[in-house]
Amino acid sequence: MRDITALHPDLQEKVYQFKALCEKNGLKAGIGECLRTVAEQDALYAIGRTKPGTRVTNARGSTYSSQHQWGIAFDFYRNDGTGAFNTAGGFFDQAGALAKSIGLGWGGDWKSPVDKPHLYLPWWGSTPLRLKSEYGTPERFRATWQKKPVFEINKIYAAKAGFYLWKRPGAEKVRYEVMSDKMKKKCSKKKKHALLRKGAKFRLMETKRAGTDVWGKIKAGYWIRIARNGKSRIHIVP
């Protein structure tokens, strides 16, 4: 299935970072399979064994041997109209390198099979062996996930409340008078500092986590605290 929200919360965040980073570097990447059921994984495992075709995986679903079953992996494809798995121009090598730069593991580094469209959270290694040992089943693993707000990069959001603008997360508030006229229209002045008004719209360009808080960088270059104590303070604009 292609439901990003079924993935581990930390991987959901990485998916959006990966897509934004690819776009920034001129690569159009689409998101393919995310979570897989036992039946879906066993059907893939059968290809080249009990079903016609070339083998595509060494992971048997009934033994929970695929990272996809644990919600810690997703596949991507080329989405520029030249073919989903067209390798021309080193597309998958470039995208894999970008993914690794934000802390993801890449199936292109594997020996057998080499799986260049595959990305995963590497915290439990390159196979699910440790997860199987610690949790037994994906269901038990999912029960340990801590839900937290996930924000999509390069999307338009609106503020649920007033926000101070910061030069850096929590470091220095922005003075109202230094802002452009365009930004001043979205803000009010509280003492000498700029306060983004409730309902103001902005494009989210980057996020950083600090404990249970999340900071977001808006297109104007300023930072706001978009989640506090694990609760979102913004909403996406349809």
Side-chain angles (χ1 to χ4, degrees):
M1 63 180 70
R2 295 188 176 186
D3 183 4
I4 295 172
T5 64
L7 296 172
H8 190 287
D10 291 326
L11 186 56
Q12 292 181 43
E13 192 169 58
K14 294 290 186 184
V15 170
Y16 295 130
Q17 291 176 1
F18 169 70
K19 286 185 65 178
L21 192 56
C22 283
E23 184 175 341
K24 183 179 179 180
N25 285 272
L27 303 175
K28 291 187 177 181
I31 304 304
E33 289 200 10
C34 297
L35 184 72
R36 285 191 196 134
T37 65
V38 170
E40 288 170 337
Q41 188 63 38
D42 275 338
L44 286 176
Y45 183 79
I47 298 172
R49 293 181 174 87
T50 59
K51 293 182 179 179
T54 302
R55 293 185 181 187
V56 294
T57 181
N58 292 330
R60 189 190 296 270
S62 55
T63 58
Y64 308 123
S65 296
S66 169
Q67 292 175 324
H68 285 280
Q69 295 176 269
W70 295 86
I72 63 166
F74 69 94
D75 292 335
F76 69 98
Y77 59 92
R78 189 167 186 162
N79 196 28
D80 59 5
T82 64
F85 300 105
N86 178 10
T87 61
F91 175 87
F92 289 95
D93 292 323
Q94 292 184 63
L98 293 175
K100 289 166 67 175
S101 76
I102 58 172
L104 287 171
W106 180 43
D109 288 332
W110 293 349
K111 301 301 181 184
S112 178
V114 176
D115 194 355
K116 291 188 176 184
H118 181 87
L119 298 172
Y120 62 95
L121 287 178
W123 306 335
W124 300 276
S126 59
T127 74
L129 286 175
R130 180 177 164 189
L131 288 169
K132 287 196 283 185
S133 175
E134 291 185 16
Y135 300 101
T137 68
E139 289 72 24
R140 290 177 182 172
F141 176 55
R142 282 195 289 272
T144 68
W145 295 0
Q146 293 183 346
K147 290 186 177 181
K148 56 186 179 182
V150 177
F151 303 99
E152 188 167 358
I153 303 299
N154 204 29
K155 292 292 185 179
I156 303 297
Y157 285 85
K160 292 181 181 179
F163 290 98
Y164 281 114
L165 297 178
W166 301 74
K167 290 185 179 180
R168 296 178 304 280
E172 185 181 354
K173 292 177 183 176
V174 177
R175 295 174 68 93
Y176 181 82
E177 59 265 23
V178 305
M179 294 190 306
S180 66
D181 291 338
K182 182 178 180 180
M183 279 303 300
K184 284 181 178 178
K185 291 179 181 179
K186 295 185 177 183
C187 297
S188 57
K189 185 177 182 181
K190 190 169 183 180
K191 295 185 178 179
K192 60 183 179 181
H193 297 115
L195 191 72
L196 189 69
R197 293 193 184 97
K198 179 180 179 179
K201 298 177 182 179
F202 56 89
R203 185 176 295 276
L204 187 63
M205 306 305 295
E206 184 181 344
T207 62
K208 288 184 178 179
R209 292 194 176 273
T212 57
D213 293 346
V214 182
W215 291 84
K217 187 176 185 180
I218 65 177
K219 190 174 182 180
Y222 305 123
W223 290 85
I224 57 177
R225 198 193 316 256
I226 57 178
R228 194 161 196 170
N229 296 325
K231 294 184 179 180
S232 173
R233 304 173 70 209
I234 63 177
H235 62 84
I236 197 165
V237 177

